């Protein structure tokens, strides 16, 4: 195949070129054309963040079939977690996992070393808590690596801008960036959204995003664990790490609503609080945010994490002639005529085979790398995250916040995160009772 | 004494049977009478009631399935049959109780709320069993998947279903467990050797079962179709039901050599377990008494984590279970 041999030769030329560059040390920022491996070249992978999802993402990457892949380095704050992850992957992928002791990195600066184990055009998987995403993404792009980054992508507006800038830099270097909003790669949902865009339920008037379920878990602090390590271990429970549930957990549902609507919101107002939850952390246990789009239509997002309450996880869309139930939490998207979602009113539902969006998002990403096709999800990933951040700002402040105000915010939730070690103080500390500051609508500053 | 219900039903069944089968059934029934002439402490049917931590009462019914001998598996000529359903072999079972309905979401949520672990974690040094009952990790989604409390519990791994049984046993003081695969099939067959518990005609299925009949977006409330002759609802369809046994495609080959197999419990080791009865999405052939389903790799594909959750099969809205209990001998 002529195209294949062209790719292979490009890769060879590139490798030659890059080794020359490497010899001159500072390759950072160098403009390198055609950073892509052909189908027969092994793409090396570094995994940054070896929790359950990071390990799962590495497995998805190693399971792609567009060409050979190999996991070569891992970075993780906690040594025990790295070992679990490595063993799990070795058991499943054998020789595809080649991470000797000198390519296992722990601590908060391990990401740099793991990325440095790669060559240009290889793949970094970023799966740490989202607070670290902008820092890690910037470094991976600086080192000319393609990136798969798990959701979410930043916790504050300055972080969003860093992701946007890194995304632009990646495009200039012909690097591919995938963002882990797998709903966008779920064929049944793609079909449903295509049908809505083709007018199946008329003009989209209202979107509802729900994530209502049982309380969120919490691990008490182990003796001997530093406060920062404790918070990272419970990263879902601290605002500077996960940006609240509106962002980190509702992001799929928010993103799908905005995808269906074909727009990002222009402003938001909302509310939230902590009615039942007792765990020593910063979580609201309920929240509700009303977003408005440019055309005046609304998106209402709500979450509740309480026991013995009604539960629902998914999106409900109302159009001028019909409605839809879909999104994260709804495996089989459904379109209905009218606004009552009954079997009699069913217009369409997915009936095809099962598919695994977590695998498909990696299949498409690796294929784009192999075929050198444009692939950069950084911008829409950043905007999806910004939608969540805007919601947090509205709910925590109790104010109406515009998209532009939010984007212009200079507030950094974790100043100096780059230089922290596990022994550093985290941005929030418990008081004498062991309690943490919780946002107070009307008083909390969010911009 | 067998309950009037089950006796009456057996009679009804026998009136429609050919003579050879009648003879077989009468032998079987006399066997039953022999075994059952021993005193049974348990009653033929009882209602179990638990009180949840939030003060709600939840009840379910257990019915005694008499000791029996039956042919397990399907004959080679059965339509829709799979290889793993053979060869047929004789099973002798002691009496046992089986829940008349699939375990409901209400009951399963009560278990979850009382036992779940503090948080999902990947620290191997942290022991998983916090107390006597190993509780599941928190679910960061809707456990009900949008279904009501009287619908069957769904989306749990086999381990989670077993853990539920342990909790229920502690809660009630009676030893609950999953039925063995043989117990399940015996209860589904209701003493017949027909394709379905009610006969051979798939056209009658919709009287007894929720299965693939056009658009269907989920499970249905338990016990809303006609029960079988033993008073058991939804043995065909609604949700596939976990049973005790490991799955092996050739497990019947080994058991057939025992002839009869007494209270068989399946292969000693294995990687995945069997689920029986088909579900609301299944074609009729998967609802046959002999049809065996088992955990497939894709059942965990909705779980983006690795190692995969030991407790949950995210998105698997068609896998549930019902409980069994060994009857006092």
């Amino acid at each position: 195949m002529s195209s294949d041999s062209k790719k292979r030769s490009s890769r060879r030329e590139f490798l030659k070129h890059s080794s020359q560059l490497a010899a001159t040390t500072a390759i950072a920022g160098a403009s390198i054309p055609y950073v892509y491996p052909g189908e027969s070249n092994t793409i090396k992978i570094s995994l940054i963040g070896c929790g359950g999802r990071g390990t799962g993402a590495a497995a998805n990457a190693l399971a792609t079939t567009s060409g050979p892949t190999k996991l070569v380095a891992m970075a993780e704050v906690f040594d025990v977690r790295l070992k679990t992850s490595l063993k799990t992957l070795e058991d499943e992928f054998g020789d595809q996992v080649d991470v000797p002791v000198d390519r296992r990195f722990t601590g908060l600066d391990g990401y740099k070393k793991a990325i440095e184990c790669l060559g240009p055009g290889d793949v970094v998987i970023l799966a740490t808590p989202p607070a670290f995403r902008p820092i890690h993404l910037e470094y991976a792009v600086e080192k000319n690596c393609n990136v798969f980054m798990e959701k979410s992508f930043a916790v504050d507006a300055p972080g969003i801008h860093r992701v946007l800038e890194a995304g632009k830099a990646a495009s200039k270097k012909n690097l591919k960036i995938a963002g882990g909003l797998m709903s966008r790669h779920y064929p049944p949902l793609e079909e449903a959204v295509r049908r809505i865009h083709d007018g199946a339920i008329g003009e989209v008037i209202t979107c509802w995003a729900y994530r209502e379920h049982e309380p969120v878990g919490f691990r008490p602090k182990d003796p001997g664990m530093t406060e920062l390590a404790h918070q990272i271990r419970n990263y879902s429970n601290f605002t500077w790490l996960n940006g609240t549930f509106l962002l980190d957990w509702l992001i799929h549902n928010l993103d799908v609503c905005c995808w269906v609507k074909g727009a990002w919101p222009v402003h938001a107002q909302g509310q939230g609080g902590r009615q039942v939850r007792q765990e020593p952390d910063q979580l609201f246990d309920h929240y509700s945010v009303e977003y408005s789009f440019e055309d005046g239509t609304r998106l209402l997002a709500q979450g509740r994490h309480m026991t013995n309450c009604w539960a629902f996880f998914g999106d409900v869309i109302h159009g001028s002639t019909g409605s839809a139930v879909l999104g994260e939490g709804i495996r089989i998207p459904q379109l209905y005529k009218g606004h009552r979602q009954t079997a009699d009113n069913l217009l369409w539902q997915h009936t095809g085979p099962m598919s695994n969006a977590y695998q498909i998002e990696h299949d498409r990403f690796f294929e784009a790398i192999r075929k050198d096709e444009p692939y950069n999800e950084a911008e829409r990933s950043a905007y999806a995250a910004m939608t969540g951040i805007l919601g947090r700002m509205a709910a925590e402040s109790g104010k109406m916040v515009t998209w532009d105000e939010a984007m212009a915010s200079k507030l950094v939730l974790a100043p100096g995160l780059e230089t922290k070690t596990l022994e550093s103080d985290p941005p929030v500390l418990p008081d004498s009772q062991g309690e943490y500051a919780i946002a107070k609508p009307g008083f909390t500053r969010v911009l | 004494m067998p309950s009037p219900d089950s006796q009456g039903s057996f009679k009804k069944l026998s009136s429609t049977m050919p003579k050879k089968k009648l003879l077989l059934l009468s032998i079987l029934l006399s066997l039953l009478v022999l075994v059952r002439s021993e005193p049974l402490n348990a009653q033929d049917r009882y209602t179990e009631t638990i009180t949840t931590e939030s003060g709600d009462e939840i009840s379910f019914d257990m019915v005694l399935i008499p000791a029996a001998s039956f042919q397990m598996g399907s004959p080679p000529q059965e339509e829709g049959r799979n290889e793993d359903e053979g060869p047929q072999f004789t099973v002798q079972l002691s009496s046992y109780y089986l829940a008349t309905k699939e375990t409901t979401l209400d009951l399963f949520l009560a278990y979850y709320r009382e036992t779940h672990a503090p948080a999902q974690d990947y620290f191997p040094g942290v022991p998983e069993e916090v107390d006597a009952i190993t509780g599941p990790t928190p679910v960061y989604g809707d456990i009900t998947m949008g279904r009501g409390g009287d619908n069957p519990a769904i989306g749990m791994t086999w381990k989670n279903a077993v853990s539920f049984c342990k909790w229920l046993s502690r809660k009630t003081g009676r030893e609950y467990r999953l039925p063995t695969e043989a117990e399940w099939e015996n209860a589904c067959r209701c003493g017949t050797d027909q394709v379905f518990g009610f006969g051979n005609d798939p056209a009658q299925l919709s009287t007894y079962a929720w299965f693939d009949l056009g658009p269907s977006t989920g499970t249905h409330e338990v016990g809303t179709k006609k029960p079988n002759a033993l008073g058991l609802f939804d043995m065909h369809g609604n949700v596939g039901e976990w049973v005790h046994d490991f799955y092996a495609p050739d497990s019947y080959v080994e058991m057939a050599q025992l002839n009869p197999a007494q209270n068989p419990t399946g292969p000693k080791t294995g990687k995945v377990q069997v689920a029986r009865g088909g579900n609301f999405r299944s074609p009729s052939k998967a609802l046959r008494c002999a049809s065996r389903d088992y955990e497939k790799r894709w059942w965990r594909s909705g779980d983006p984590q690795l190692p995969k959750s030991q407790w949950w099969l995210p998105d698997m809205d068609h896998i549930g279970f019902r409980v069994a209990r060994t009857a006092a001998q």
Side-chain angles (χ1 to χ4, degrees), chain B residues 177-250:
Chain B
R177 58 176 173 79
L178 292 178
T180 65
E181 188 173 11
E183 286 172 339
W184 192 96
E185 184 167 326
N186 175 58
C188 186
R189 290 189 173 283
C190 299
T192 80
D193 61 356
Q194 299 173 98
V195 177
F196 304 105
F198 52 82
N200 290 320
D201 183 9
Q204 285 187 51
L205 259 180
S206 55
T207 308
Y208 296 88
W210 296 107
F211 68 115
D212 179 23
L213 280 177
S216 170
T217 53
T219 60
H220 296 262
E221 284 186 10
V222 299
T224 51
K225 291 279 186 178
K226 193 175 171 184
N228 72 9
L230 292 167
L232 305 170
F233 295 88
D234 302 311
M235 292 297 282
H236 303 296
N238 211 17
V239 286
E241 299 178 13
W242 285 122
V243 295
H244 163 84
D245 303 33
F246 280 120
Y247 175 78
D250 57 354

Side-chain angles (χ1 to χ4, degrees), chain A residues 57-79:
Chain A
N60 294 136
L62 293 172
T64 57
T65 54
S66 53
T69 51
K70 183 167 269 195
L71 181 68
V72 299
M74 297 166 85
E76 163 60 48
V77 167
F78 302 109
D79 182 51

Side-chain angles (χ1 to χ4, degrees), chain A residues 52-53 55-56 59 80-81 84 88 92 211 213-214 217-219 233 249 307-308 311 331-332 349 354 356 358, chain B residues 54 112-113 118-119 121-124 126 139-142 215-217 281 297-298 301-302 304-307 315 317:
Chain A
R53 180 58 203 132
T55 309
V80 282
R81 195 178 273 174
T84 308
T88 309
E92 187 155 346
R211 191 157 186 169
H213 52 66
E214 296 284 312
F218 178 80
R219 289 273 183 193
R233 189 186 187 191
W249 290 31
T307 196
N308 290 324
R331 188 165 60 98
I332 300 177
Q349 72 172 347
M354 292 279 293
N356 179 355
Y358 294 102
Chain B
S54 55
Y112 171 78
R113 287 167 181 154
D121 211 317
Y122 296 91
F123 284 69
V126 176
V139 175
Y140 296 154
D142 169 16
S216 170
T217 53
R281 225 175 255 124
R297 198 178 160 84
W298 66 266
S301 69
Q305 313 265 342
L306 201 72
D315 301 339
D317 57 356

Side-chain angles (χ1 to χ4, degrees), chain B residues 94-108:
Chain B
S94 308
S95 60
Y96 56 101
Y97 286 96
L98 195 61
T100 60
K101 295 173 183 172
E102 292 161 342
T103 302
T104 61
L105 276 167
D106 273 345
L107 188 55
F108 198 75

Side-chain angles (χ1 to χ4, degrees), chain A residues 192-345:
Chain A
V193 175
R194 189 187 62 73
R195 284 169 180 268
I196 293 173
H197 288 170
D198 287 349
I201 60 168
E203 189 190 350
V204 173
I205 291 170
T206 314
C207 305
W208 302 77
Y210 300 88
R211 191 157 186 169
E212 328 253 9
H213 52 66
E214 296 284 312
V216 177
F218 178 80
R219 289 273 183 193
K221 190 173 159 189
D222 281 356
M225 194 172 243
T226 69
E227 178 63 27
L228 186 60
H230 165 68
Q231 291 187 17
I232 289 174
R233 189 186 187 191
N234 287 286
Y235 81 90
S236 290
N237 307 52
F238 293 93
T239 307
W240 72 269
L241 274 157
N242 86 329
T244 74
F245 271 30
L246 260 158
L247 168 61
D248 203 30
W249 290 31
L250 255 167
I251 187 170
H252 298 295
N253 298 83
L254 292 173
D255 180 52
V256 167
C257 285
C258 294
W259 178 21
V260 167
K261 182 67 194 174
W264 302 108
V266 291
H267 55 75
Q269 67 85 20
Q271 49 195 283
R274 195 174 148 103
Q275 179 93 22
V276 179
R277 190 171 181 83
Q278 299 290 332
E279 283 77 1
D281 60 26
Q282 295 187 289
L283 288 181
F284 279 3
D285 57 16
H286 62 284
Y287 43 82
S288 172
V289 174
E290 176 200 59
Y291 293 94
S292 296
F293 295 106
E294 183 71 48
D295 67 2
T297 61
R298 310 283 168 90
L299 154 59
L300 196 88
Q302 55 175 282
R304 176 175 54 204
H305 310 294
M306 297 180 187
T307 196
N308 290 324
C309 294
W310 178 73
F312 185 66
F313 183 18
D315 295 325
V316 179
I317 311 290
H318 290 279
S320 54
T321 63
S323 54
V325 181
L326 41 70
E328 169 80 336
I330 306 291
R331 188 165 60 98
I332 300 177
Q334 304 133 44
L335 305 183
Y336 296 89
K337 62 183 178 200
H339 300 288
R340 296 181 62 239
Q341 293 90 35
T342 62
D344 290 346
N345 286 342

Side-chain angles (χ1 to χ4, degrees), chain B residues 17-65:
Chain B
M17 281 185 186
K19 278 188 177 164
K20 197 176 155 194
K21 284 181 185 166
L22 258 180
L23 185 72
L24 208 111
L25 193 70
S26 53
I27 294 170
L28 199 138
L29 279 173
S30 48
L31 252 170
L32 286 187
V33 172
L34 263 175
V35 177
R36 305 216 46 209
S37 62
E38 294 169 23
L40 282 174
N41 295 327
Q43 294 167 356
D44 293 332
R45 190 185 177 98
Y46 67 92
T47 300
E48 185 72 86
T49 302
I50 64 132
T51 305
T52 68
E53 278 183 351
S54 55
D56 297 327
E57 285 196 346
I58 302 174
S59 296
F60 60 95
D61 290 339
M62 299 293 290
V63 65
L64 186 71
I65 312 296

